[in-house]
Amino acid sequence: MRDVRMRGFRERATVERALDVLEQRIQRLGDEPVPIAASAGRVAAEPVCARVSVPHFARAAMDGYALASEAIAGATAGAPVELALVGASFPGRPHAGAIRPGEAVRITTGAPVPEGADAVLMAERAEEAAGSGGEVVRVREPVPPGKHVAAIGEDVMAGEPLVSAGRRLRPQDVGVLASTGVAEVRVVRRPSVRILITGDELLPPGSLPSGSCIVDANSLVLSALARRDGAGDVAVEYVPDRREAVRGALLACGAAGGDVVLVSGGSSVGPEDHAPQVLAELGELSVHGVAMRPAKPAGFGFLAGRPVFLLPGNPVSCLCAYEFFAGPSIRALGGLPRAWPHRRRRCVVASKIVSQAGRVDYVRVRIDGDRVYPIATSGASILSSTTRADGVVIVPGDEEAVVEGAEVEVLLYDA
């Protein structure tokens, strides 16, 4: 490959071409079984059907009395029907045996309806009393068959499809699966991510900046983004700005079995930007230099079949390159949609957004009402511009500007 250090990029790939390469090369990982209790948030690898019906027995939907509806067909307030009270049915403690016409049992919500009963009378529609042969319940009005009874399979029928392949399981999905007797689910394996932070000037998060050293922020941003996008294990390593150190770190990543490698820094055209050359030497450098702002020096390639993303060290460029290239790839590996996971909102441009034909722009913006304003500070190293921003507007490469009054889609930073 041509060494671009201190020479600059002769040509830059379009965002579209870069994304095409990734879509062709990156496919979903394999699957694994997980216990139902650990499946929330995971992506189902195959359809899941109900093992049993819910409920699997007829159960009361109301507190009251289980009885045969035919026995009280003529009941009125003036001429109540007396039924012998022969027992009770509670959740987990059903009435033993069947009831006969002329009998009733007390029942609470969720309890099994005994054989011989086909309805539940609300408690307030009757009253208990002492009869000549024992306790009775005086019923003042009739109920139709099936009243206040949840039939077998009212919620879910055995064999019914509950979850389709590719669905990210929500808490309620997991609850329904568990209720039908599902003990484990086959889910897509979550990709593991290795983050290499390059730079002699970097201090670990939690340090106080001093002298010519600055505190690393990219590892925190990238780790959180990777987890947002479904990554499992995420590990961070600091690498000095020396060719052999970068080479050794990449070789270790190739041998360690991680699914994705993110390299922060060392991707541009400076004399200590070793990552592109080393990746080309050890594996494949597919793209280096993209027609976008910020993150022009971004790139990616493959090492031992695993994607390696070269992310600029400037924090906003790093964030931008991750969102365009690494994020969709990590989501695809884990069985999630490649599309950006941001909430979206349509707004009107209040102040012209300047761009350049042939280049995709990642423009930080703030929202006021239904109007959107570009953030004045556009430097790729000004990470605070992303905290002042409500989101971003992506200006396509075929537009030179977005004029005042135009409607745009804003990708919001907040969930």
Side-chain angles (χ1 to χ4, degrees):
M1 63 167 280
R2 175 178 178 265
D3 190 347
V4 298
R5 289 177 297 174
M6 302 308 291
R7 293 183 177 89
F9 296 101
R10 180 183 300 169
E11 60 181 30
R12 291 177 288 164
T14 64
V15 169
E16 291 76 12
R17 174 179 166 259
L19 291 175
D20 283 344
V21 172
L22 291 171
E23 287 186 15
Q24 292 170 18
R25 298 285 296 273
I26 293 181
Q27 304 299 322
R28 200 202 83 175
L29 296 173
D31 51 75
E32 61 186 2
V34 298
I36 189 66
S39 65
R42 302 296 297 271
V43 176
E46 60 187 15
V48 186
C49 297
R51 294 186 62 193
V52 299
S53 297
V54 178
H56 65 280
F57 55 84
R59 66 186 181 193
M62 188 72 64
D63 294 337
Y65 302 93
L67 44 78
S69 59
E70 186 178 34
I72 59 168
T76 65
V81 172
E82 284 192 358
L83 302 176
L85 200 53
V86 295
S89 183
F90 301 100
R93 291 182 287 137
H95 173 71
I99 66 169
R100 295 172 296 182
E103 295 179 338
V105 299
R106 298 186 191 92
I107 197 164
T108 58
T109 303
V113 175
E115 185 181 348
D118 65 357
V120 172
L121 177 73
M122 294 174 62
E124 52 267 40
R125 300 291 189 262
E127 59 184 17
E128 295 183 19
S132 57
E135 285 187 293
V136 299
V137 56
R138 293 194 178 108
V139 179
R140 299 189 297 270
E141 63 180 56
V143 291
K147 186 69 171 178
H148 302 313
V149 175
I152 293 173
E154 180 184 67
D155 191 352
V156 176
M157 289 298 295
E160 179 182 340
L162 298 178
V163 167
S164 58
R167 182 183 182 96
R168 192 171 196 171
L169 298 176
R170 302 172 297 176
Q172 58 266 43
D173 296 325
V174 174
V176 168
L177 291 175
S179 73
T180 71
V182 173
E184 69 176 25
V185 184
R186 292 205 70 84
V187 297
V188 180
R189 189 167 63 79
R190 292 185 296 187
S192 58
V193 176
R194 300 292 176 263
I195 302 174
L196 304 182
I197 303 294
T198 69
D200 294 333
E201 78 283 13
L202 296 175
L203 300 171
S207 304
L208 187 67
S210 63
S212 60
C213 292
I214 60 175
V215 177
D216 158 50
N218 287 352
S219 66
L220 299 180
V221 175
L222 293 174
S223 296
L225 288 170
R227 291 191 177 94
R228 177 201 70 182
D229 291 329
D233 177 53
V234 178
V236 176
E237 178 184 350
Y238 290 89
V239 183
D241 276 329
R242 286 182 285 282
R243 181 184 177 87
E244 286 310 308
V246 174
R247 176 186 172 85
L250 281 175
L251 279 172
C253 286
D259 299 302
V260 178
V261 180
L262 307 179
V263 182
S264 169
S267 71
S268 192
V269 296
E272 293 189 334
D273 289 323
H274 304 296
Q277 291 283 330
V278 170
L279 179 56
E281 176 188 320
L282 298 177
E284 172 192 344
L285 181 63
S286 306
V287 168
H288 185 213
V290 186
M292 61 192 302
R293 185 181 69 172
K296 177 176 70 175
F300 59 82
F302 296 86
L303 178 61
R306 303 178 183 91
V308 178
F309 293 92
L310 307 178
L311 310 176
N314 277 332
V316 182
S317 294
C318 182
L319 169 62
C320 174
Y322 176 92
E323 292 281 41
F324 270 93
F325 307 120
S329 300
I330 291 173
R331 292 192 292 274
L333 286 167
L336 295 170
R338 293 177 187 265
W340 290 28
H342 300 67
R343 196 162 52 91
R344 297 159 190 259
R345 179 177 170 186
R346 303 294 297 184
C347 292
V348 175
V349 174
S351 179
K352 180 181 178 180
I353 298 175
V354 179
S355 185
Q356 178 179 307
R359 180 186 74 196
V360 171
D361 270 22
Y362 176 93
V363 182
R364 289 143 278 171
V365 297
R366 64 179 179 86
I367 296 173
D368 185 1
D370 63 349
R371 298 173 70 78
V372 64
Y373 299 80
I375 296 290
T377 301
S378 60
S381 62
I382 311 300
L383 184 57
S384 64
S385 65
T386 63
T387 63
R388 297 197 303 274
D390 296 302
V392 296
V393 170
I394 307 300
V395 182
D398 57 359
E399 295 187 18
E400 292 187 355
V402 182
V403 299
E404 181 180 342
E407 188 178 73
V408 293
E409 182 178 67
V410 182
L411 281 72
L412 301 174
Y413 282 139
D414 288 335

